[in-house]
Amino acid sequence: MTTIRTAAVIGSGVMGSGIAAHLANVGIPVLLLDIVPAQLLPQEEAAGLTLPKVRNRFAVNAIEKLKQTNPAPLYSDAFAERITPGNLEDDFERLSGVDWIIEVIVEKLEVKQQLFRRMESVWKPGTIVSSNTSGISINAMVENLSAAFKKHFLGTHFFNPPRYMKLLEVVPGEGTDPDIVDFMTNFCEKTLGKGVVRAKDTPNFIGNRIGTYGLLVTLREMLANGYSVEEVDAVTGPAMGRPKSATFRTLDLVGLDTFVHVANNVFDLVAEAEERAVFQTPEILRRMVEKGWIGEKQGQGFYKKVKTEAGKEIQALNLLTMEYVASRKISSVSLEATKQAKGTTAKLRALLSAKDRYSDLAWNILKSVLIYSAEKLGEIADSIVEIDNALKWGFNWDLGPFETWDAIGLRRSVERMEAEGNVVPNWVKEWIASGNESFYQNREGNTFYYLKNEYRGVETRPELISLTALKQQNKVIRSNSGASLIDIGDGIACLEFHSPNNAIGADILTMIGQSVDEVRSNFRGLVVANEGKNFCVGANVMLLLMEAQDGEWDEVDGIIRLFQNAMMKLKGLEKPVVAAPHKMTLGGGVEACMPADQIIYASETYFGLVEVGVGLIPAGGGCKELILRASQHINDPDVDLQPFVQAIFETVAMAKVSTSGHDTKRIGYMRAQDTVVVNSDYRIYEAKQAVLRLEGAGYKPQSQEKIRVVGENGKAVMQIAAYTMRQGGYISEHDQLIANKLAHVLAGGNVPAGTYVTEQYILDLEREAFLSLCGEPKTQQRMQYMLSKGKALRN
Ligand code: NAI
């Protein structure tokens, strides 16, 4: 039985260090090796170092850099300790003691071949070896090595950055043991949390083959029809269900040199003339690389940031004059229509039906990519699902090529392609001729996809609970505009938020109350989770601001009471409740998790009470829950609570947000019973299992407890801290006002230190402070700013 307890990563560059970090993230100790430096750096010489002292320099520096990289490759800086630096001479033999060796060195076949040849001499059967190559042949890398080594060898192609990009292409070689391929597929998905696609050993595998083709076709269309950089980006970004970085900001980020290298790889390795013509690097790219205009790394590419007297200016390259000019904002009726349209299908249809020059551009790019994807099916991957997932997970497209084809109307678009003289692969035409209207089909929540001339059901697994599918299977127990209660099987219900941005308003709060009643009578327990882009960005600030501006204080008071009561009701439920937040979980979203008996964080959870950013303090029980925990944690009345409350004060007053699920521990949210699930797709299942476990262990409901507070003295300490911050110019006067009110609530008001108070008493303090802050003009300005700009105003 294969297991991976330890690993070695060879190559500590961009990808190697990122992969090592991600292994460390999931608790695997990693040996990180790189070459031995040939020369001392000036700073090493100045520090009196000698070459023998810097033999691990590359890996050591790479580990150090991980802690400074943004976005953070590590879930927590402390995890860097799990990475041991070394070098390929002194530590090579240590490779025989690990379970998995990943090669992440320069993209050169001979260099990789040489490394594997040498590795075979220390390699022990059982150790899995993989390459992170972006496009070199897996078979070629190990062609002269033993069958035993080949059996254990495969491609594991991570995307950059490894922690954040979901895609991982698993590429078996001819000799790879199928059991090892299955094991790695499972391991990468479950333990590393990746979305795995099975690729074939063809140039650039799946994602980069189609993705690069798409970018090159875009350039071709642009040059042929005179579109500007800004125009292309306006069309090929969110308007088409693609990331904001669209075409040229993506290329600038990737680096034009890397992109040319990747494109050349296909050009060199494929035989077909038409395909080679697309992969031949356009002259313009070659010129840009020659000039060093390769993107972010060099400060300029298709775009350039320039400092002007007025501040910063973004300039775009004019490809005709090769000069940078101030970037223009592009608008058109068709682009505007895509902004109004809800969902990617509607956006694509709006864009394509407009019949203007932007619609033409979108169509010409799309049809080439769709036809090319259809041509490559079978050659680069066995199923359309693999191709679609590769583009969604590796390039952040909302829809893969075949899903896109369905979205724009398969039959209609094929007719148009043929009418325009394009050659559509026969299998697509035959599929349509047999009466099929799409590549995918949804039948009562079950998805089917095209596979070898028939519909095949998408594999379902118990770990992958889909609320969307359950809703289509009529599993909704109750529903309103903001939330639904869904039966997720085995007597467990799931409370799902689905309001815009999952902001909490009266509808969600009402549904929380109703869910508690429903679960109390008819279910074994409750999961609080959803499939939104973010778990919840907080309470509905718009509603609050409107009431506050109208001076409707009774209304504001009513909203807070509704919130507090819903949370108390959730907490009082006599059955287990487990919350499973993911991505942004802010303000009210945090408060909606806090009443749960257990929280299962997705590893990518950005969790924090950020109310001060809109000039408020948490009033849905957030303050109360935090001090209750401190009081429970330190239940010896002789032990000083102050340091714990002080830490809470800092967390809330500074609106600290975790950088991962694990990081919630550092800022004081994670409790002993809370855990993290790496693969976010499993979170609802894991939460459901947790509910069942809690029930099985003889669940006892949470009882209302008295809270020991730090009182007036403690409040003074916190307020002095705020005063000092103000004096030092670190916070504004309004920040200080908010901090003072927060200190008042966290201290338990004007009572002597060590007093025991009720939960309701603290809730009343929260509400009072919240209401008074709502009346402050600067708080209203903060709310307004957040609503219009999406970020906090520090006034
Ligand atoms: P990099 O240039 O940042 O790092 C390469 C590392 O290899 C350096 O630390 C270097 O010291 C080491 N190295 C150089 N020569 C060596 C040798 N003879 N023996 C052992 N180590 C040697 O490169 P990067 O971007 O990290 O790429 C590494 C691999 O990952 C390549 O195969 C690349 O195609 C692949 N890849 C890169 C992606 C990217 O976005 N940069 C994405 C996915 C795969």
Side-chain angles (χ1 to χ4, degrees), residues 10-17 19 33-35 58-59 62 88 103-108 111-112 114-115 131-136 156-161 208 254 258 261-262:
I10 304 183
S12 62
V14 177
M15 289 304 285
S17 59
I19 293 169
L33 305 184
D34 209 308
I35 48 178
F58 289 115
L88 284 165
E103 170 277 309
V104 202
I105 66 170
V106 280
E107 185 74 342
K108 292 205 175 108
V111 184
K112 290 189 195 269
Q114 204 181 359
L115 174 70
S131 170
N132 188 55
T133 177
S134 345
I136 296 180
T156 52
H157 181 212
F158 287 82
F159 278 62
N160 191 20
N208 281 342
V254 168
T258 306
H261 189 78
V262 173

Side-chain angles (χ1 to χ4, degrees), residues 453-522:
N453 289 323
E454 55 182 40
Y455 278 118
R456 176 75 63 92
V458 169
E459 186 201 359
T460 55
R461 270 177 293 155
E463 296 90 346
L464 299 175
I465 294 179
S466 160
L467 298 179
T468 309
L470 289 167
K471 285 194 270 191
Q472 286 160 350
Q473 292 160 12
N474 297 323
K475 299 288 184 188
V476 178
I477 305 154
R478 276 170 175 275
S479 185
N480 67 22
S481 56
S484 298
L485 185 69
I486 300 158
D487 184 344
I488 57 171
D490 299 315
I492 312 297
C494 177
L495 171 63
E496 179 205 26
F497 302 165
H498 47 64
S499 60
N501 290 324
N502 281 351
I504 300 182
D507 44 8
I508 290 185
L509 296 171
T510 307
M511 186 52 64
I512 292 177
Q514 292 174 350
S515 299
V516 169
D517 295 336
E518 189 70 46
V519 171
R520 179 178 291 129
S521 316
N522 301 319

Side-chain angles (χ1 to χ4, degrees), residues 107 109 112 131-138 140-141 157 169 171 200-206 208-209 261-262 265-266 269:
E107 185 74 342
L109 176 61
K112 290 189 195 269
S131 170
N132 188 55
T133 177
S134 345
I136 296 180
S137 161
I138 298 299
M141 277 189 262
H157 181 212
E169 293 176 326
V171 195
K200 298 196 176 193
D201 189 13
T202 55
N204 291 10
F205 313 123
I206 306 174
N208 281 342
R209 180 74 167 264
H261 189 78
V262 173
N265 193 44
V266 181
L269 295 173

Side-chain angles (χ1 to χ4, degrees), residues 227-240:
Y227 293 95
S228 69
V229 164
E230 301 100 306
E231 283 182 310
V232 171
D233 275 358
V235 174
T236 58
M240 283 173 71

Side-chain angles (χ1 to χ4, degrees), residues 304-535:
K304 180 172 162 184
K305 267 188 213 141
V306 191
K307 277 203 188 112
T308 62
E309 277 171 20
K312 263 188 282 179
E313 183 182 89
I314 308 274
Q315 298 185 338
L317 186 64
N318 178 327
L319 300 191
L320 297 175
T321 61
M322 292 303 271
E323 278 169 8
Y324 290 92
V325 280
S327 170
R328 276 190 317 133
K329 204 169 160 37
I330 306 297
S331 66
S332 72
V333 175
S334 56
L335 291 171
E336 200 43 48
T338 66
K339 286 189 190 138
Q340 302 307 325
K342 289 237 173 333
T344 306
T345 299
K347 283 181 196 301
L348 283 169
R349 288 186 182 167
L351 183 57
L352 293 181
S353 62
K355 303 274 176 289
D356 62 7
R357 72 189 244 106
Y358 299 130
S359 152
D360 289 346
L361 176 63
W363 167 250
N364 289 332
I365 296 170
L366 270 184
K367 74 173 175 184
S368 299
V369 173
L370 302 187
I371 291 174
Y372 186 64
S373 302
E375 283 170 356
K376 292 295 132 193
L377 181 67
E379 182 185 329
I380 62 171
D382 282 331
S383 89
I384 62 168
V385 180
E386 240 97 37
I387 296 181
D388 279 344
N389 283 342
L391 273 302
K392 286 192 289 185
W393 296 341
F395 284 76
N396 290 328
W397 293 5
D398 287 350
L399 300 177
F402 296 97
E403 290 168 327
T404 301
W405 214 330
D406 281 355
I408 63 171
L410 176 57
R411 186 178 295 273
R412 215 162 358 118
S413 57
V414 166
E415 280 165 7
R416 182 170 169 195
M417 289 168 188
E418 294 206 294
E420 292 174 7
N422 299 106
V423 181
V424 177
N426 276 335
W427 72 263
V428 176
K429 288 196 285 190
E430 283 163 16
W431 181 244
I432 299 173
S434 330
N436 298 300
E437 299 296 333
S438 59
F439 294 115
Y440 290 89
Q441 237 185 20
N442 191 311
R443 297 180 215 149
E444 291 160 0
N446 297 309
T447 306
F448 295 80
Y449 67 100
Y450 165 92
L451 186 72
K452 300 198 171 94
N453 289 323
E454 55 182 40
Y455 278 118
R456 176 75 63 92
V458 169
E459 186 201 359
T460 55
R461 270 177 293 155
E463 296 90 346
L464 299 175
I465 294 179
S466 160
L467 298 179
T468 309
L470 289 167
K471 285 194 270 191
Q472 286 160 350
Q473 292 160 12
N474 297 323
K475 299 288 184 188
V476 178
I477 305 154
R478 276 170 175 275
S479 185
N480 67 22
S481 56
S484 298
L485 185 69
I486 300 158
D487 184 344
I488 57 171
D490 299 315
I492 312 297
C494 177
L495 171 63
E496 179 205 26
F497 302 165
H498 47 64
S499 60
N501 290 324
N502 281 351
I504 300 182
D507 44 8
I508 290 185
L509 296 171
T510 307
M511 186 52 64
I512 292 177
Q514 292 174 350
S515 299
V516 169
D517 295 336
E518 189 70 46
V519 171
R520 179 178 291 129
S521 316
N522 301 319
F523 287 86
R524 294 162 72 184
L526 180 68
V527 166
V528 183
N530 64 66
E531 291 171 343
K533 204 167 143 223
N534 296 301
F535 176 81

Side-chain angles (χ1 to χ4, degrees), residues 721-756:
Y723 173 81
T724 313
M725 294 282 281
R726 172 72 193 129
Q727 293 306 304
Y730 297 109
I731 61 173
S732 69
E733 199 180 338
H734 193 51
D735 285 327
Q736 189 186 2
L737 175 82
I738 302 165
N740 283 342
K741 288 194 188 275
L742 176 67
H744 180 74
V745 176
L746 293 176
N750 298 325
V751 294
T755 305
Y756 283 83

